């Protein structure tokens, strides 16, 4: 009889309070009226919230700027399609922080730049006779993946980490003054000896997800800051250094499948989980 009264009191506090998990019982916090002695008297086994794997694919388009020394007038340039896949592991760090995760993935992406003419002088910078270069770049990345649930079906996402890739193809658009020069025509679809092929740097982004278990739909804005120049800095002169680094963005839409069950950590989700746990306890004592 005493145990039934205790279980009933626990059910009542779960409905009136914010159900969160404590380190011992894997709830973040419980009302002061629920003591450790009481928790010891109730057999509760709960899977950690947001402790699951998912895998998915995504696609979109990229936007390229680049940053240069000496500085250049830049016109943003779109390239598409960007597409890739990733594996995401969500976990609760130290049994307390349910917003953590990491992401491993690979994508077909692009790099490049497009110089803009000066309105006053009409001058437009060129590289190898071209004012525009589009570079195909397969990449792999590893990211920290943070997320905040905002209800049962919606979450915010933030990512940051490192990427690496290899520039496999290039296409240059020659300036009118160089379009008929055979030397420059030879390198329209060919890398020069001083062009750098490896690329790496910092990658991050923000977005949101819609969760309809076991499927999630993600929209992300990706930012990529390259740390390896497009070309050797002394390619023009041993005494004069020129740098050109990737600075790109992308917007993607992805579909992910949860490989293991997901238990959210919002107040509504934990309240629903607590209600289910107590109902099972009551059924076992009938």
């Amino acid at each position: 009889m005493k145990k039934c009264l205790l279980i009933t009191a626990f059910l009542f506090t779960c409905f009136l309070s914010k159900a969160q998990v404590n380190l011992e019982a894997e709830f973040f916090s419980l009302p002061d009226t629920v003591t450790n002695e009481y928790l010891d008297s109730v057999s509760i086994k709960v899977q950690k919230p947001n402790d699951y794997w998912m895998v998915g694919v995504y696609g979109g388009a990229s936007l390229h700027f680049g940053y240069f020394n000496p500085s250049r007038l830049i016109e943003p340039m779109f390239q598409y399609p960007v597409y890739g896949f990733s594996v995401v592991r969500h976990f609760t760090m130290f049994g307390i922080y349910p917003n953590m995760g990491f992401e491993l993935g690979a994508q077909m992406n692009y790099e490049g730049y497009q110089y803009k003419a000066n309105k006053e002088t009409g001058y437009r910078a060129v590289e190898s006779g071209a004012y525009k270069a589009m570079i195909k770049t397969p990449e792999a990345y590893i990211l920290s993946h943070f997320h905040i649930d905002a209800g049962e079906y919606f979450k915010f996402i933030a990512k940051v980490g490192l990427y690496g890739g290899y520039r496999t193809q290039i296409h240059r658009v020659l300036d009118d003054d160089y379009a008929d020069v055979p030397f420059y025509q030879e390198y329209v679809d060919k890398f020069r000896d001083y062009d750098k092929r490896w690329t790496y740097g910092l990658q991050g982004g923000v977005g949101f997800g819609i969760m309809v278990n076991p499927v999630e739909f993600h929209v992300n804005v990706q930012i990529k800051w390259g740390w390896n120049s497009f070309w050797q800095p002394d390619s023009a002169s041993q005494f004069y250094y020129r740098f050109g680094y990737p600075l790109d963005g992308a917007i993607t839409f992805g579909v992910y499948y949860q490989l293991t069950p997901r238990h959210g950590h919002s107040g509504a989700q934990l309240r629903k989980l607590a209600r289910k746990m107590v109902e099972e306890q009551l059924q076992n004592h009938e």
Side-chain angles (χ1 to χ4, degrees):
M1 180 66 179
K2 183 179 180 180
K3 183 174 288 190
C4 291
L5 290 174
L6 289 173
I7 293 173
T8 303
F10 176 69
L11 178 61
F12 181 73
T13 53
C14 285
F15 275 95
L16 294 181
S17 64
K18 208 174 188 179
Q20 297 181 345
V21 181
N22 188 317
L23 189 58
E24 291 87 353
E26 299 187 4
F27 275 106
F28 301 112
S29 64
L30 288 170
D32 295 336
T33 55
V34 181
T35 63
N36 290 334
E37 289 76 16
Y38 173 74
L39 293 174
D40 292 338
S41 69
V42 180
S43 178
I44 301 176
K45 294 181 180 180
V46 186
Q47 182 175 344
K48 294 180 181 179
N50 282 337
D51 189 4
Y52 68 102
W53 292 83
M54 67 180 181
V55 62
V57 295
Y58 59 87
S62 57
L63 180 64
H64 306 274
F65 295 91
Y67 61 104
F68 302 86
N69 182 23
S71 62
R72 299 281 190 260
L73 289 176
I74 299 297
E75 186 173 351
M77 176 180 62
F78 271 105
Q79 293 190 81
Y80 59 88
V82 173
Y83 56 91
F85 74 93
S86 67
V87 178
V88 182
R89 170 72 164 97
H90 293 290
F91 57 88
T92 300
M93 182 177 287
F94 308 127
I96 301 174
Y97 307 105
N99 311 102
M100 311 302 294
F102 67 85
E103 181 173 354
L104 297 172
Q107 62 185 7
M108 181 60 69
N109 204 349
Y110 301 89
E111 293 181 343
Y113 50 87
Q114 182 173 216
Y115 296 146
K116 184 178 180 181
N118 188 305
K119 292 182 179 180
E120 297 180 358
T121 64
Y123 170 76
R124 179 167 58 187
V126 296
E127 300 291 343
S128 298
Y131 70 92
K132 182 178 181 179
M134 297 168 284
I135 306 171
K136 195 172 186 178
T137 311
E139 299 168 347
Y141 55 84
I142 179 169
L143 309 173
S144 294
H145 185 114
F146 307 97
H147 59 103
I148 299 176
D149 290 2
E152 187 173 355
Y153 302 106
F154 190 85
K155 68 179 176 181
F156 296 99
I157 302 169
K159 310 176 186 181
V160 65
L162 300 174
Y163 81 92
Y166 188 75
R167 297 161 181 153
T168 59
Q169 298 178 23
I170 188 170
H171 177 72
R172 310 177 203 265
V173 179
L174 298 177
D175 187 84
D176 293 339
D177 294 336
Y178 302 90
D180 297 326
V181 180
F183 176 80
Y184 294 110
Q185 290 176 345
E186 179 183 353
Y187 291 99
V188 166
D189 295 305
K190 183 179 178 182
F191 287 98
R192 300 288 298 268
D193 292 340
Y194 56 74
D195 287 329
K196 292 187 174 183
R197 305 291 293 274
W198 290 102
T199 180
Y200 52 85
L202 185 69
Q203 180 174 316
V206 295
F208 64 88
I210 298 174
M211 301 171 289
V212 186
N213 299 339
V215 178
E216 299 187 13
F217 303 95
H218 292 190
V219 176
N220 282 290
V221 176
Q222 177 189 117
I223 301 296
K224 196 179 73 172
W225 175 25
W227 293 344
N228 198 24
S229 179
F230 291 114
W231 51 73
Q232 296 289 344
D234 59 351
S235 57
S237 170
Q238 294 181 354
F239 307 100
Y240 181 69
Y241 290 86
R242 302 176 306 120
F243 298 94
Y245 293 92
L247 182 59
D248 310 320
I251 182 168
T252 62
F253 173 79
V255 180
Y256 285 81
Y257 183 80
Q258 299 165 0
L259 299 176
T260 52
R262 170 186 171 274
H263 299 279
H265 70 279
S266 69
Q269 290 167 315
L270 291 176
R271 197 173 298 115
K272 181 178 179 181
L273 181 59
R275 186 182 301 114
K276 180 180 178 181
M277 291 162 41
V278 175
E279 287 176 352
E280 292 177 353
Q281 291 289 332
L282 291 173
Q283 290 175 359
N284 292 335
H285 287 81
E286 286 181 356

